[in-house]
Amino acid sequence: TGVRFEKTSDEGDGPLTLSIHDVTGRVVEQVVLPLGTVFEDRTIGTSGTYFFTVAGQGRTLQPGKLVVY
């Protein structure tokens, strides 16, 4: 499962965090993303629906949904 995100100057200079949650809201994985264009490839072992957020400077920049088969 991959997530592509390009950090622009609108997001500021701080680090970005990718958080993946299951349908109960439990954090499955959380990683700090490097600057620039990012492609994070993550293995999620269990099929199902997951939600992700990319956050920085105290706010959500990109929410989304992942469906793993």
Side-chain angles (χ1 to χ4, degrees), residues 6-64:
E6 183 174 349
K7 183 177 179 186
T8 65
S9 60
D10 294 342
E11 285 87 41
D13 292 328
L16 299 179
T17 303
L18 169 66
S19 300
I20 301 173
H21 307 264
D22 64 14
V23 295
T24 67
R26 181 179 65 89
V27 176
V28 175
E29 187 158 359
Q30 193 168 49
V31 294
V32 176
L33 301 173
L35 301 177
T37 300
V38 175
F39 181 76
E40 277 296 317
D41 190 10
R42 294 286 176 223
T43 300
I44 300 173
T46 306
S47 62
T49 302
Y50 296 86
F51 300 93
F52 72 88
T53 57
V54 177
Q57 303 211 343
R59 62 188 178 103
T60 298
L61 302 171
Q62 180 70 49

